[in-house]
Amino acid sequence: MTAVLMMVLVVLGCIAALSGAFALGVFWAARRQTPPPARALTEEQQRAVDRARRELENFFAYDGTEQRRQP
């Protein structure tokens, strides 16, 4: 009877150790994946972002009509 009880306790201890290690791993990984603080953009970088945003808006606003060159 004591051997069965010891076996059950060993199995429960292994399960507790594995679940504790899993929980610690999840929390450690979540803590490491926090993004670094954002830096302020320079004027040149901000102009590049604005230019790219305008190009993307123009791209998605195109409805397929024929475009003609202005004389």
Side-chain angles (χ1 to χ4, degrees):
M1 184 68 177
T2 58
V4 173
L5 181 62
M6 288 300 286
M7 223 152 84
V8 169
L9 289 176
V10 167
V11 168
L12 288 177
C14 288
I15 291 172
L18 287 174
S19 60
F22 177 77
L24 284 175
V26 167
F27 290 130
W28 184 65
R31 187 176 49 122
R32 287 189 68 210
Q33 291 179 357
T34 55
R39 298 182 325 211
L41 297 177
T42 64
E43 284 186 32
E44 182 178 340
Q45 291 171 332
Q46 186 62 44
R47 281 194 305 267
V49 168
D50 292 338
R51 187 177 326 115
R53 183 178 297 129
R54 282 193 310 269
E55 282 187 30
L56 191 61
E57 288 172 0
N58 286 339
F59 176 77
F60 284 118
Y62 179 62
D63 60 357
T65 57
E66 184 179 340
Q67 296 179 353
R68 297 183 183 203
R69 292 179 65 122
Q70 296 292 330

